[in-house]
Amino acid sequence: MDTTREEPIIKRQKSDEDTVNQVDPQEQDNVTTATIDEEEGYTAEERALGESLIEAVVAGDLSKVKVLVGEKDADVCYSGTEQGRTPLHYAAESGHLAVVDYLLSERHPYNLVDKAEVTAGELALKNGHTEVYERLVNEGVRSELVIRAMQNAFQRQEEEDGQITVIPNEDYLQQKLHYDDNKLMDANDDAVMMGWEGPLMVEHAKVMCPKEGLDVLNVGFGLGLIDMELQKYKPRNHYIIEAHPDVYAHMKKLGWDQKPGVTILFGRWQDMVPTLTTTFDGIFFDTYGEFYDDLRAFHDAVPNILNTDGIYTWFNGLGATNQFFHDIYCRVSEVDLREFGLDTEYVEMEIPTADEKGVWDGVRQRYWALDKYFLPICKFLQ
Ligand SMILES: C[S@@+](CC[C@H](N)C(=O)[O-])C[C@H]1O[C@@H](n2cnc3c(N)ncnc32)[C@H](O)[C@@H]1O
């Protein structure tokens, strides 16, 4: 049984869980025998072994843990506890690095969630176990890169077999949108873009367009916050790629097609970028309803359209409802960007506007839960 779920990890996607291949331990395959405990799916013997394992893990008794898993066949992912926590949760919560290492080496997935959807990584972070947290983040990066490599191999095969490419946000692109009180909302009352992100857009614009007269590209207009900032720097060429017809109509209504230096390319970036005949000093990317693979595909396209000393930056909402997954995906992105010849630096920013009173009123699902913003600045590797 495949227990992983491919969920969007970039901001504002409309899944109920915003995760990185998060796994529910209750969906693990369990041994089915006549004496199975109906409630949790464990036999009395499995339960006894599982409880002993948890006890040994909490005590940090690695030798006993090894005997229970290696010799007595205790379930390394035992989740029959009240909160549905597994040995890795307990090892992380107690800060036992050697036990964490061993459990991971025994193929305990790094991202199992308990009944409250909490991962071992979050417990390590909450309890200040920095080394354990780092170990789990590194394991997350490693696992995600391996999973991705396997998925890519399958995808290549599908492409060779002539299967059609899916547009991830096709449904969104056909919905009726509305602008409402400094928010751009979709038909389900999910926010496409919100005013609280204004200070972030100011910084992104400053980073990618540090002086007047440059050539800049923004992908995704939304509320036009970054484009308004970019205009302040009087760019020589200011390209905007926007795919949604309602947003495009709004841009024209506001006269964006008449602004100095502005060229609007109406369409998906996937179709528009290959038509570009110019290169840029600054590039910003911030779309909606797409997946990490789409962001990565854009990263891949950047070296062809960025000037040698240009700056590329993108909205960093990766896994933004969970610090652990966010940290993993910041690093995965760094690895990917390096593969495409780009060096990444993250600049830490406070974001008090995300928690202002009433900010999320009327929004179906909050897409941001992090304390800090890590603004990426990418340049060609020297
Ligand atoms: C989050 S908003 C951008 C907000 C913008 N950074 C601002 O400062 O207001 C995302 C925008 O990307 C557009 N979009 C979504 N998918 C796209 C695609 N594949 N190509 C181009 N634009 C896309 C959406 O219609 C939306 O206007």
Side-chain angles (χ1 to χ4, degrees):
M1 178 171 64
D2 179 13
T3 54
T4 60
R5 284 172 281 145
E6 172 74 19
E7 299 277 2
I9 54 130
I10 307 172
K11 71 167 180 176
R12 309 189 195 94
Q13 271 83 12
K14 292 144 282 175
S15 63
D16 286 335
E17 292 141 290
D18 209 10
T19 64
V20 185
N21 292 324
Q22 193 166 298
V23 181
D24 184 341
Q26 300 303 324
E27 290 179 17
Q28 295 279 310
D29 282 328
N30 289 316
V31 183
T32 317
T33 70
T35 51
I36 255 178
D37 174 331
E38 282 297 315
E39 210 181 300
E40 298 288 356
Y42 289 104
T43 64
E45 192 189 343
E46 286 165 347
R47 182 171 290 282
L49 275 171
E51 296 300 329
S52 302
L53 176 59
I54 302 266
E55 250 178 61
V57 164
V58 171
D61 187 343
L62 182 59
S63 314
K64 193 162 177 199
V65 169
K66 283 183 175 173
V67 169
L68 284 162
V69 174
E71 294 172 24
K72 308 229 176 213
D73 253 358
D75 177 7
V76 73
C77 299
Y78 176 74
S79 64
T81 55
E82 206 183 317
Q83 293 165 294
R85 291 193 172 167
T86 68
L88 192 67
H89 283 98
Y90 289 99
E93 188 175 35
S94 326
H96 298 311
L97 182 59
V99 179
V100 166
D101 263 335
Y102 173 72
L103 294 171
L104 293 174
S105 75
E106 285 297 311
R107 297 175 174 259
H108 187 310
Y110 80 94
N111 56 352
L112 291 184
V113 291
D114 68 10
K115 287 178 184 167
E117 302 274 314
V118 173
T119 57
E122 287 160 271
L123 294 178
L125 188 64
K126 189 172 157 207
N127 289 283
H129 302 309
T130 319
E131 262 189 288
V132 170
Y133 185 69
E134 274 300 304
R135 174 70 182 90
L136 289 168
V137 169
N138 287 337
E139 180 63 19
V141 173
R142 195 195 63 78
S143 300
E144 293 304 320
L145 291 174
V146 169
I147 291 169
R148 236 248 322 281
M150 285 161 65
Q151 283 170 342
N152 285 349
F154 282 122
Q155 202 178 327
R156 265 197 301 279
Q157 189 58 51
E158 281 174 6
E159 277 165 15
E160 277 167 27
D161 295 347
Q163 293 188 22
I164 305 147
T165 316
V166 179
I167 297 177
N169 56 1
E170 191 170 18
D171 178 44
Y172 159 73
L173 292 174
Q174 289 168 3
Q175 279 180 29
K176 190 94 205 96
L177 306 183
H178 58 283
Y179 284 88
D180 171 22
D181 187 24
N182 210 13
K183 292 197 270 286
L184 172 58
M185 307 291 285
D186 74 5
N188 307 314
D189 277 336
D190 275 308
V192 177
M193 179 64 185
M194 297 176 70
W196 70 262
E197 291 182 46
L200 307 182
M201 297 301 134
V202 170
E203 289 308 310
H204 278 289
K206 214 184 275 176
V207 157
M208 68 184 269
C209 192
K211 58 180 187 197
E212 293 188 359
L214 297 181
D215 297 331
V216 293
L217 165 67
N218 172 41
V219 179
F221 181 80
L223 291 173
L225 299 183
I226 193 155
D227 291 299
M228 284 189 265
E229 284 306 310
L230 290 171
Q231 278 290 294
K232 291 181 187 165
Y233 296 96
K234 300 185 174 54
R236 181 174 64 171
N237 282 302
H238 179 173
Y239 279 63
I240 306 170
I241 302 181
E242 172 54 50
H244 200 293
D246 293 353
V247 178
Y248 178 55
H250 180 77
M251 293 170 80
K252 288 217 291 193
K253 198 169 119 198
L254 295 178
W256 273 91
D257 50 342
Q258 307 297 324
K259 290 202 193 270
V262 168
T263 303
I264 304 175
L265 300 177
F266 173 46
R268 297 172 64 235
W269 66 263
Q270 291 86 341
D271 300 321
M272 293 299 126
V273 168
T275 69
L276 289 169
T277 51
T278 181
T279 54
F280 300 93
D281 301 302
I283 299 177
F284 179 62
F285 181 90
D286 179 14
T287 64
Y288 178 77
E290 297 192 320
F291 290 78
Y292 180 71
D293 281 352
D294 304 292
L295 173 63
R296 184 174 183 271
F298 189 81
H299 291 340
D300 191 9
V302 165
N304 292 324
I305 52 171
L306 185 67
N307 290 337
T308 327
D309 53 357
I311 304 277
Y312 166 48
T313 179
W314 36 279
F315 179 81
N316 187 1
L318 297 168
T321 53
N322 183 307
Q323 188 67 54
F324 180 51
F325 293 133
H326 181 66
D327 287 342
I328 290 170
Y329 258 81
C330 282
R331 294 200 203 164
V332 168
S333 300
E334 220 175 317
V335 172
D336 285 337
L337 284 155
R338 181 161 282 269
E339 189 188 326
F340 303 135
L342 295 163
D343 185 40
T344 308
E345 177 199 353
Y346 290 104
V347 176
E348 192 176 311
M349 269 184 77
E350 299 292 332
I351 32 166
T353 46
D355 289 321
E356 277 170 7
K357 197 163 176 285
V359 152
W360 297 95
D361 288 356
V363 176
R364 191 181 73 89
Q365 197 178 313
R366 183 175 172 145
Y367 58 78
W368 190 274
L370 308 176
D371 294 336
K372 299 242 161 66
Y373 183 69
F374 291 89
L375 187 151
I377 302 178
C378 308
K379 298 177 186 164
F380 278 109
L381 286 163
Q382 294 302 313

